[in-house]
Every structure is written in structure tokens, then in C-alpha cells.
mmCIF file of all heavy atoms in Angstrom:
data_model
loop_
_atom_site.group_PDB
_atom_site.id
_atom_site.type_symbol
_atom_site.label_atom_id
_atom_site.label_comp_id
_atom_site.label_asym_id
_atom_site.label_seq_id
_atom_site.Cartn_x
_atom_site.Cartn_y
_atom_site.Cartn_z
ATOM 1 N N ASP T 8 -4.718 0.984 21.665
ATOM 2 C CA ASP T 8 -3.719 1.214 22.699
ATOM 3 C C ASP T 8 -2.454 1.816 22.106
ATOM 4 O O ASP T 8 -1.741 2.550 22.781
ATOM 5 C CB ASP T 8 -3.387 -0.106 23.410
ATOM 6 C CG ASP T 8 -4.578 -0.652 24.163
ATOM 7 O OD1 ASP T 8 -4.991 -0.009 25.138
ATOM 8 O OD2 ASP T 8 -5.105 -1.710 23.776
ATOM 9 N N MET T 9 -2.160 1.477 20.861
ATOM 10 C CA MET T 9 -1.039 2.087 20.143
ATOM 11 C C MET T 9 -1.343 2.041 18.654
ATOM 12 O O MET T 9 -2.095 1.182 18.192
ATOM 13 C CB MET T 9 0.282 1.385 20.466
ATOM 14 C CG MET T 9 0.377 -0.049 19.995
ATOM 15 S SD MET T 9 2.014 -0.773 20.355
ATOM 16 C CE MET T 9 1.892 -0.965 22.130
ATOM 17 N N THR T 10 -0.765 2.983 17.920
ATOM 18 C CA THR T 10 -1.076 3.132 16.501
ATOM 19 C C THR T 10 0.196 3.351 15.700
ATOM 20 O O THR T 10 1.083 4.089 16.130
ATOM 21 C CB THR T 10 -2.024 4.331 16.273
ATOM 22 O OG1 THR T 10 -3.208 4.143 17.045
ATOM 23 C CG2 THR T 10 -2.396 4.462 14.818
ATOM 24 N N PHE T 11 0.267 2.708 14.529
ATOM 25 C CA PHE T 11 1.396 2.865 13.620
ATOM 26 C C PHE T 11 0.903 3.462 12.301
ATOM 27 O O PHE T 11 -0.085 2.997 11.728
ATOM 28 C CB PHE T 11 2.080 1.520 13.368
ATOM 29 C CG PHE T 11 2.720 0.938 14.593
ATOM 30 C CD1 PHE T 11 2.027 0.026 15.384
ATOM 31 C CD2 PHE T 11 4.001 1.301 14.973
ATOM 32 C CE1 PHE T 11 2.610 -0.511 16.525
ATOM 33 C CE2 PHE T 11 4.588 0.784 16.109
ATOM 34 C CZ PHE T 11 3.897 -0.125 16.889
ATOM 35 N N ASP T 12 1.609 4.475 11.829
ATOM 36 C CA ASP T 12 1.247 5.191 10.613
ATOM 37 C C ASP T 12 1.986 4.574 9.422
ATOM 38 O O ASP T 12 3.220 4.555 9.393
ATOM 39 C CB ASP T 12 1.629 6.663 10.771
ATOM 40 C CG ASP T 12 1.048 7.542 9.681
ATOM 41 O OD1 ASP T 12 0.717 7.020 8.598
ATOM 42 O OD2 ASP T 12 0.934 8.763 9.908
ATOM 43 N N CYS T 13 1.236 4.079 8.448
ATOM 44 C CA CYS T 13 1.824 3.427 7.264
ATOM 45 C C CYS T 13 1.821 4.323 6.038
ATOM 46 O O CYS T 13 2.127 3.862 4.928
ATOM 47 C CB CYS T 13 1.061 2.132 6.948
ATOM 48 S SG CYS T 13 0.962 0.948 8.289
ATOM 49 N N ARG T 14 1.494 5.596 6.192
ATOM 50 C CA ARG T 14 1.310 6.467 5.032
ATOM 51 C C ARG T 14 2.615 6.817 4.321
ATOM 52 O O ARG T 14 2.575 7.339 3.210
ATOM 53 C CB ARG T 14 0.577 7.744 5.450
ATOM 54 C CG ARG T 14 -0.885 7.520 5.774
ATOM 55 C CD ARG T 14 -1.557 8.783 6.270
ATOM 56 N NE ARG T 14 -1.072 9.164 7.591
ATOM 57 C CZ ARG T 14 -1.550 10.176 8.297
ATOM 58 N NH1 ARG T 14 -2.538 10.919 7.793
ATOM 59 N NH2 ARG T 14 -1.067 10.464 9.488
ATOM 60 N N PHE T 15 3.756 6.526 4.913
ATOM 61 C CA PHE T 15 5.033 6.817 4.257
ATOM 62 C C PHE T 15 5.386 5.762 3.202
ATOM 63 O O PHE T 15 6.272 5.975 2.372
ATOM 64 C CB PHE T 15 6.164 6.888 5.294
ATOM 65 C CG PHE T 15 6.434 5.588 5.986
ATOM 66 C CD1 PHE T 15 7.365 4.694 5.484
ATOM 67 C CD2 PHE T 15 5.727 5.231 7.137
ATOM 68 C CE1 PHE T 15 7.608 3.482 6.113
ATOM 69 C CE2 PHE T 15 5.960 4.032 7.768
ATOM 70 C CZ PHE T 15 6.903 3.153 7.254
ATOM 71 N N LEU T 16 4.711 4.608 3.239
ATOM 72 C CA LEU T 16 5.012 3.536 2.305
ATOM 73 C C LEU T 16 4.439 3.830 0.914
ATOM 74 O O LEU T 16 3.496 4.600 0.764
ATOM 75 C CB LEU T 16 4.449 2.209 2.835
ATOM 76 C CG LEU T 16 5.085 1.672 4.118
ATOM 77 C CD1 LEU T 16 4.274 0.511 4.670
ATOM 78 C CD2 LEU T 16 6.530 1.258 3.870
ATOM 79 N N LYS T 17 4.998 3.203 -0.080
ATOM 80 C CA LYS T 17 4.567 3.375 -1.468
ATOM 81 C C LYS T 17 3.092 3.009 -1.594
ATOM 82 O O LYS T 17 2.671 1.924 -1.200
ATOM 83 C CB LYS T 17 5.423 2.495 -2.378
ATOM 84 C CG LYS T 17 5.203 2.715 -3.859
ATOM 85 C CD LYS T 17 6.181 1.889 -4.677
ATOM 86 C CE LYS T 17 5.968 2.104 -6.172
ATOM 87 N NZ LYS T 17 6.915 1.260 -6.975
ATOM 88 N N ASN T 18 2.303 3.904 -2.186
ATOM 89 C CA ASN T 18 0.843 3.776 -2.171
ATOM 90 C C ASN T 18 0.321 3.070 -3.426
ATOM 91 O O ASN T 18 0.396 3.617 -4.529
ATOM 92 C CB ASN T 18 0.207 5.156 -2.066
ATOM 93 C CG ASN T 18 -1.281 5.094 -1.755
ATOM 94 O OD1 ASN T 18 -1.882 4.014 -1.766
ATOM 95 N ND2 ASN T 18 -1.866 6.241 -1.480
ATOM 96 N N PRO T 19 -0.266 1.881 -3.295
ATOM 97 C CA PRO T 19 -0.839 1.167 -4.450
ATOM 98 C C PRO T 19 -2.012 1.898 -5.091
ATOM 99 O O PRO T 19 -2.390 1.588 -6.220
ATOM 100 C CB PRO T 19 -1.287 -0.174 -3.844
ATOM 101 C CG PRO T 19 -0.474 -0.327 -2.614
ATOM 102 C CD PRO T 19 -0.308 1.070 -2.074
ATOM 103 N N HIS T 20 -2.591 2.858 -4.380
ATOM 104 C CA HIS T 20 -3.741 3.588 -4.929
ATOM 105 C C HIS T 20 -3.399 4.261 -6.254
ATOM 106 O O HIS T 20 -4.276 4.415 -7.125
ATOM 107 C CB HIS T 20 -4.202 4.643 -3.923
ATOM 108 C CG HIS T 20 -5.286 5.541 -4.433
ATOM 109 N ND1 HIS T 20 -6.618 5.158 -4.469
ATOM 110 C CD2 HIS T 20 -5.253 6.816 -4.941
ATOM 111 C CE1 HIS T 20 -7.340 6.144 -4.962
ATOM 112 N NE2 HIS T 20 -6.538 7.165 -5.260
ATOM 113 N N TRP T 21 -2.136 4.654 -6.431
ATOM 114 C CA TRP T 21 -1.754 5.389 -7.632
ATOM 115 C C TRP T 21 -1.471 4.474 -8.817
ATOM 116 O O TRP T 21 -1.175 4.956 -9.908
ATOM 117 C CB TRP T 21 -0.549 6.276 -7.333
ATOM 118 C CG TRP T 21 -0.834 7.240 -6.232
ATOM 119 C CD1 TRP T 21 -0.221 7.305 -5.026
ATOM 120 C CD2 TRP T 21 -1.834 8.261 -6.224
ATOM 121 N NE1 TRP T 21 -0.760 8.287 -4.252
ATOM 122 C CE2 TRP T 21 -1.763 8.905 -4.973
ATOM 123 C CE3 TRP T 21 -2.780 8.697 -7.148
ATOM 124 C CZ2 TRP T 21 -2.613 9.947 -4.624
ATOM 125 C CZ3 TRP T 21 -3.622 9.746 -6.805
ATOM 126 C CH2 TRP T 21 -3.529 10.358 -5.561
ATOM 127 N N ASP T 22 -1.570 3.178 -8.612
ATOM 128 C CA ASP T 22 -1.464 2.224 -9.720
ATOM 129 C C ASP T 22 -2.893 1.846 -10.128
ATOM 130 O O ASP T 22 -3.607 1.201 -9.357
ATOM 131 C CB ASP T 22 -0.686 0.982 -9.278
ATOM 132 C CG ASP T 22 -0.434 -0.002 -10.413
ATOM 133 O OD1 ASP T 22 -1.260 -0.050 -11.350
ATOM 134 O OD2 ASP T 22 0.564 -0.737 -10.360
ATOM 135 N N PRO T 23 -3.338 2.226 -11.330
ATOM 136 C CA PRO T 23 -4.724 1.949 -11.737
ATOM 137 C C PRO T 23 -5.100 0.474 -11.671
ATOM 138 O O PRO T 23 -6.263 0.138 -11.429
ATOM 139 C CB PRO T 23 -4.776 2.461 -13.182
ATOM 140 C CG PRO T 23 -3.675 3.470 -13.262
ATOM 141 C CD PRO T 23 -2.584 2.965 -12.353
ATOM 142 N N ASP T 24 -4.119 -0.398 -11.856
ATOM 143 C CA ASP T 24 -4.415 -1.838 -11.821
ATOM 144 C C ASP T 24 -4.644 -2.345 -10.398
ATOM 145 O O ASP T 24 -5.186 -3.437 -10.209
ATOM 146 C CB ASP T 24 -3.265 -2.621 -12.456
ATOM 147 C CG ASP T 24 -3.132 -2.354 -13.948
ATOM 148 O OD1 ASP T 24 -4.163 -2.041 -14.580
ATOM 149 O OD2 ASP T 24 -2.002 -2.447 -14.481
ATOM 150 N N LEU T 25 -4.208 -1.573 -9.398
ATOM 151 C CA LEU T 25 -4.310 -2.017 -7.999
ATOM 152 C C LEU T 25 -5.339 -1.229 -7.199
ATOM 153 O O LEU T 25 -5.663 -1.608 -6.075
ATOM 154 C CB LEU T 25 -2.942 -1.896 -7.306
ATOM 155 C CG LEU T 25 -1.797 -2.720 -7.899
ATOM 156 C CD1 LEU T 25 -0.497 -2.423 -7.156
ATOM 157 C CD2 LEU T 25 -2.114 -4.210 -7.847
ATOM 158 N N ARG T 26 -5.840 -0.166 -7.765
ATOM 159 C CA ARG T 26 -6.686 0.762 -7.001
ATOM 160 C C ARG T 26 -7.899 0.072 -6.386
ATOM 161 O O ARG T 26 -8.270 0.342 -5.239
ATOM 162 C CB ARG T 26 -7.124 1.914 -7.899
ATOM 163 C CG ARG T 26 -7.882 3.019 -7.160
ATOM 164 C CD ARG T 26 -8.005 4.243 -8.035
ATOM 165 N NE ARG T 26 -6.681 4.777 -8.373
ATOM 166 C CZ ARG T 26 -6.475 5.750 -9.255
ATOM 167 N NH1 ARG T 26 -7.504 6.272 -9.898
ATOM 168 N NH2 ARG T 26 -5.257 6.181 -9.499
ATOM 169 N N SER T 27 -8.518 -0.837 -7.119
ATOM 170 C CA SER T 27 -9.728 -1.497 -6.612
ATOM 171 C C SER T 27 -9.413 -2.739 -5.779
ATOM 172 O O SER T 27 -10.322 -3.356 -5.224
ATOM 173 C CB SER T 27 -10.642 -1.893 -7.777
ATOM 174 O OG SER T 27 -9.990 -2.814 -8.632
ATOM 175 N N SER T 28 -8.144 -3.095 -5.679
ATOM 176 C CA SER T 28 -7.745 -4.248 -4.869
ATOM 177 C C SER T 28 -7.523 -3.807 -3.424
ATOM 178 O O SER T 28 -7.662 -2.624 -3.084
ATOM 179 C CB SER T 28 -6.464 -4.867 -5.441
ATOM 180 O OG SER T 28 -6.647 -5.306 -6.766
ATOM 181 N N THR T 29 -7.170 -4.758 -2.569
ATOM 182 C CA THR T 29 -6.912 -4.444 -1.163
ATOM 183 C C THR T 29 -5.597 -5.084 -0.725
ATOM 184 O O THR T 29 -4.991 -5.863 -1.467
ATOM 185 C CB THR T 29 -8.037 -4.968 -0.254
ATOM 186 O OG1 THR T 29 -7.899 -6.400 -0.092
ATOM 187 C CG2 THR T 29 -9.408 -4.654 -0.824
ATOM 188 N N GLY T 30 -5.215 -4.762 0.504
ATOM 189 C CA GLY T 30 -3.994 -5.330 1.059
ATOM 190 C C GLY T 30 -4.068 -6.819 1.299
ATOM 191 O O GLY T 30 -3.061 -7.443 1.646
ATOM 192 N N LEU T 31 -5.239 -7.414 1.087
ATOM 193 C CA LEU T 31 -5.380 -8.868 1.183
ATOM 194 C C LEU T 31 -4.972 -9.555 -0.114
ATOM 195 O O LEU T 31 -4.835 -10.782 -0.138
ATOM 196 C CB LEU T 31 -6.823 -9.239 1.523
ATOM 197 C CG LEU T 31 -7.380 -8.682 2.843
ATOM 198 C CD1 LEU T 31 -8.852 -9.067 2.995
ATOM 199 C CD2 LEU T 31 -6.577 -9.180 4.028
ATOM 200 N N ASP T 32 -4.798 -8.770 -1.179
ATOM 201 C CA ASP T 32 -4.451 -9.316 -2.492
ATOM 202 C C ASP T 32 -2.946 -9.311 -2.689
ATOM 203 O O ASP T 32 -2.266 -8.316 -2.386
ATOM 204 C CB ASP T 32 -5.121 -8.504 -3.597
ATOM 205 C CG ASP T 32 -6.641 -8.533 -3.493
ATOM 206 O OD1 ASP T 32 -7.182 -9.638 -3.292
ATOM 207 O OD2 ASP T 32 -7.270 -7.463 -3.611
ATOM 208 N N ALA T 33 -2.409 -10.404 -3.232
ATOM 209 C CA ALA T 33 -0.965 -10.563 -3.384
ATOM 210 C C ALA T 33 -0.314 -9.449 -4.208
ATOM 211 O O ALA T 33 0.771 -8.974 -3.830
ATOM 212 C CB ALA T 33 -0.654 -11.935 -3.992
ATOM 213 N N PRO T 34 -0.908 -8.994 -5.302
ATOM 214 C CA PRO T 34 -0.256 -7.919 -6.070
ATOM 215 C C PRO T 34 -0.060 -6.636 -5.264
ATOM 216 O O PRO T 34 0.932 -5.924 -5.449
ATOM 217 C CB PRO T 34 -1.209 -7.705 -7.249
ATOM 218 C CG PRO T 34 -1.904 -9.016 -7.411
ATOM 219 C CD PRO T 34 -2.100 -9.518 -6.023
ATOM 220 N N VAL T 35 -0.998 -6.324 -4.377
ATOM 221 C CA VAL T 35 -0.849 -5.139 -3.534
ATOM 222 C C VAL T 35 0.323 -5.319 -2.575
ATOM 223 O O VAL T 35 1.146 -4.411 -2.383
ATOM 224 C CB VAL T 35 -2.151 -4.849 -2.760
ATOM 225 C CG1 VAL T 35 -1.920 -3.778 -1.703
ATOM 226 C CG2 VAL T 35 -3.245 -4.424 -3.714
ATOM 227 N N GLY T 36 0.406 -6.507 -1.960
ATOM 228 C CA GLY T 36 1.529 -6.777 -1.069
ATOM 229 C C GLY T 36 2.859 -6.678 -1.790
ATOM 230 O O GLY T 36 3.832 -6.112 -1.266
ATOM 231 N N ALA T 37 2.914 -7.207 -3.000
ATOM 232 C CA ALA T 37 4.146 -7.141 -3.783
ATOM 233 C C ALA T 37 4.513 -5.695 -4.089
ATOM 234 O O ALA T 37 5.705 -5.322 -4.074
ATOM 235 C CB ALA T 37 3.988 -7.933 -5.078
ATOM 236 N N HIS T 38 3.507 -4.870 -4.357
ATOM 237 C CA HIS T 38 3.750 -3.454 -4.637
ATOM 238 C C HIS T 38 4.325 -2.755 -3.405
ATOM 239 O O HIS T 38 5.297 -1.990 -3.512
ATOM 240 C CB HIS T 38 2.443 -2.792 -5.065
ATOM 241 C CG HIS T 38 2.576 -1.352 -5.448
ATOM 242 N ND1 HIS T 38 2.787 -0.948 -6.741
ATOM 243 C CD2 HIS T 38 2.543 -0.208 -4.704
ATOM 244 C CE1 HIS T 38 2.876 0.368 -6.788
ATOM 245 N NE2 HIS T 38 2.716 0.846 -5.558
ATOM 246 N N VAL T 39 3.723 -2.983 -2.244
ATOM 247 C CA VAL T 39 4.206 -2.357 -1.012
ATOM 248 C C VAL T 39 5.637 -2.798 -0.719
ATOM 249 O O VAL T 39 6.482 -2.000 -0.274
ATOM 250 C CB VAL T 39 3.271 -2.685 0.168
ATOM 251 C CG1 VAL T 39 3.858 -2.148 1.483
ATOM 252 C CG2 VAL T 39 1.882 -2.113 -0.066
ATOM 253 N N GLU T 40 5.935 -4.057 -0.989
ATOM 254 C CA GLU T 40 7.265 -4.591 -0.691
ATOM 255 C C GLU T 40 8.354 -3.982 -1.571
ATOM 256 O O GLU T 40 9.543 -4.105 -1.260
ATOM 257 C CB GLU T 40 7.265 -6.114 -0.840
ATOM 258 C CG GLU T 40 6.513 -6.855 0.248
ATOM 259 C CD GLU T 40 7.173 -6.749 1.617
ATOM 260 O OE1 GLU T 40 8.351 -6.329 1.685
ATOM 261 O OE2 GLU T 40 6.511 -7.078 2.621
ATOM 262 N N THR T 41 7.980 -3.334 -2.667
ATOM 263 C CA THR T 41 8.993 -2.661 -3.484
ATOM 264 C C THR T 41 9.527 -1.407 -2.797
ATOM 265 O O THR T 41 10.566 -0.871 -3.208
ATOM 266 C CB THR T 41 8.432 -2.277 -4.869
ATOM 267 O OG1 THR T 41 7.361 -1.339 -4.700
ATOM 268 C CG2 THR T 41 7.943 -3.506 -5.617
ATOM 269 N N ASP T 42 8.834 -0.936 -1.776
ATOM 270 C CA ASP T 42 9.333 0.199 -0.996
ATOM 271 C C ASP T 42 10.470 -0.296 -0.112
ATOM 272 O O ASP T 42 10.297 -1.242 0.671
ATOM 273 C CB ASP T 42 8.208 0.773 -0.136
ATOM 274 C CG ASP T 42 8.580 2.097 0.513
ATOM 275 O OD1 ASP T 42 9.687 2.194 1.075
ATOM 276 O OD2 ASP T 42 7.763 3.039 0.450
ATOM 277 N N PRO T 43 11.658 0.298 -0.193
ATOM 278 C CA PRO T 43 12.793 -0.189 0.591
ATOM 279 C C PRO T 43 12.601 -0.088 2.102
ATOM 280 O O PRO T 43 13.328 -0.734 2.863
ATOM 281 C CB PRO T 43 13.952 0.711 0.126
ATOM 282 C CG PRO T 43 13.301 1.917 -0.473
ATOM 283 C CD PRO T 43 12.017 1.439 -1.063
#
């Protein structure tokens, strides 16, 4: 019914240590939260 685009946020994919993780993992959340 509505969609929000999150692609402007800092991308964990470019961190080799986080690439295989998901947004369910705490380190990924911490990485995203570094984006102001």
C-alpha cells in the first residue's frame, strides 16, 4: 500500500565483515545507525 526507499542509508554490503550478515544481526544495525 506504501513503500519507503532505504537505499540512501549507509550500506553494510561494502563492509566485508558484514556482507554475509543481515539486518537481523546487531552489527548490521549498529552499522546502519552510524548514518546520521
Side-chain angles (χ1 to χ4, degrees):
D8 295 294
M9 66 177 72
T10 303
F11 295 94
D12 191 338
C13 304
R14 288 176 291 185
F15 65 91
L16 294 169
K17 188 175 180 181
N18 192 352
H20 174 80
W21 302 117
D22 185 331
D24 293 332
L25 299 177
R26 186 167 299 172
S27 62
S28 300
T29 76
L31 300 176
D32 299 314
V35 170
H38 183 93
V39 174
E40 288 293 346
T41 63
D42 190 313

